[in-house]
Amino acid sequence: MYSLTQFPLPYDREALAPYMSGTTLDFHHGRHLATYISTLNDLIADTEYAGMPLNEIIVQAANRGAQKIFNNAAQVFNHNFFFHCLRRGEGHIPDEIASAFGGADNFRTEFKKAASGVFGSGWTWLVRDGDEIKIITTANADTPIAHGIRPLLTLDVWEHAYYLDYQNRRADFIDAFLDHLINWDFVLENMAL
Ligand code: MN
């Protein structure tokens, strides 16, 4: 039977410590993402979605208002994309990004403001929408690819993304992400697509 399988982490579980611990990755990647994948596989078994590429499941479920399938499929995409956005020790914001925001400091300030402002669970994104590079947020499982917008970078601000390492201090998690955890090579690859 067709099923989506777990996406492997693109690095060792301790690779992001101390800014994101191995324990957080064990739960976030090994439990949360794994559950979205298994739930999605159960939901699409023997349906017209079985065999579709993940991006197609997301777009079709959005069009048809299939909320449970959309939520789980979008969370699978969002998490796989998020884990690929992470790499330890990349603090320098590339000129291509900085120039779109009037400087690296402005990018940093705008991204942090957006990520801090997500009420409840959601995601903060750097995206390319047509010719424009901008920062957006989405609630719960919602994802730019459901809206024809290309994601370049994302930060998961669901509490499960940071609670073991930062408890309620989301602002500290955002700072750690911006200063120590972004794989800018991955972002620039997405810009070049
Ligand atoms: Mn998450």
Side-chain angles (χ1 to χ4, degrees):
M1 190 186 82
Y2 167 84
S3 66
L4 289 157
T5 55
Q6 174 77 322
F7 296 92
L9 267 185
Y11 34 74
D12 182 83
R13 67 183 284 283
E14 289 290 347
L16 307 176
Y19 301 105
M20 185 179 290
S21 65
T23 305
T24 285
L25 286 171
D26 290 343
F27 278 89
H28 200 182
H29 178 266
R31 306 283 183 88
H32 288 279
L33 174 55
T35 299
Y36 292 126
I37 291 171
S38 64
T39 303
L40 178 62
N41 281 326
D42 289 346
L43 287 168
I44 67 176
D46 303 321
T47 74
E48 58 208 313
Y49 296 94
M52 285 184 193
L54 181 61
N55 291 29
E56 185 67 15
I57 294 172
I58 292 168
V59 171
Q60 292 294 330
N63 288 342
R64 301 174 194 186
Q67 195 66 47
K68 278 188 189 171
I69 290 174
F70 177 83
N71 285 343
N72 284 279
Q75 284 294 75
V76 173
F77 174 86
N78 291 349
H79 281 90
N80 187 44
F81 191 84
F82 172 62
F83 289 124
H84 279 83
C85 287
L86 302 178
R87 186 170 69 191
R88 172 70 202 281
E90 300 293 315
H92 180 71
I93 297 167
D95 293 344
E96 295 93 320
I97 308 296
S99 63
F101 292 88
D105 289 348
N106 285 345
F107 165 77
R108 203 188 178 292
T109 301
E110 280 193 43
F111 195 96
K112 185 172 181 181
K113 184 178 170 192
S116 301
V118 174
F119 186 78
S121 296
W123 299 81
T124 307
W125 305 84
L126 178 70
V127 298
R128 192 170 70 210
D129 184 6
D131 291 335
E132 194 182 0
I133 293 176
K134 61 185 184 183
I135 293 164
I136 65 168
T137 63
T138 58
N140 299 316
D142 198 13
T143 184
I145 66 170
H147 308 282
I149 299 171
R150 180 189 301 284
L152 305 175
L153 169 70
T154 194
L155 176 60
D156 185 346
V157 290
W158 286 56
E159 279 189 346
H160 69 222
Y162 59 88
Y163 211 83
L164 294 175
D165 294 325
Y166 299 90
Q167 292 76 49
N168 61 320
R169 293 174 283 112
R170 186 192 286 184
D172 291 352
F173 173 56
I174 298 166
D175 283 338
F177 173 74
L178 287 167
D179 294 337
H180 302 288
L181 289 175
I182 297 176
N183 182 347
W184 286 111
D185 289 338
F186 179 71
V187 178
L188 294 176
E189 283 170 24
N190 293 326
M191 287 197 42
L193 290 175

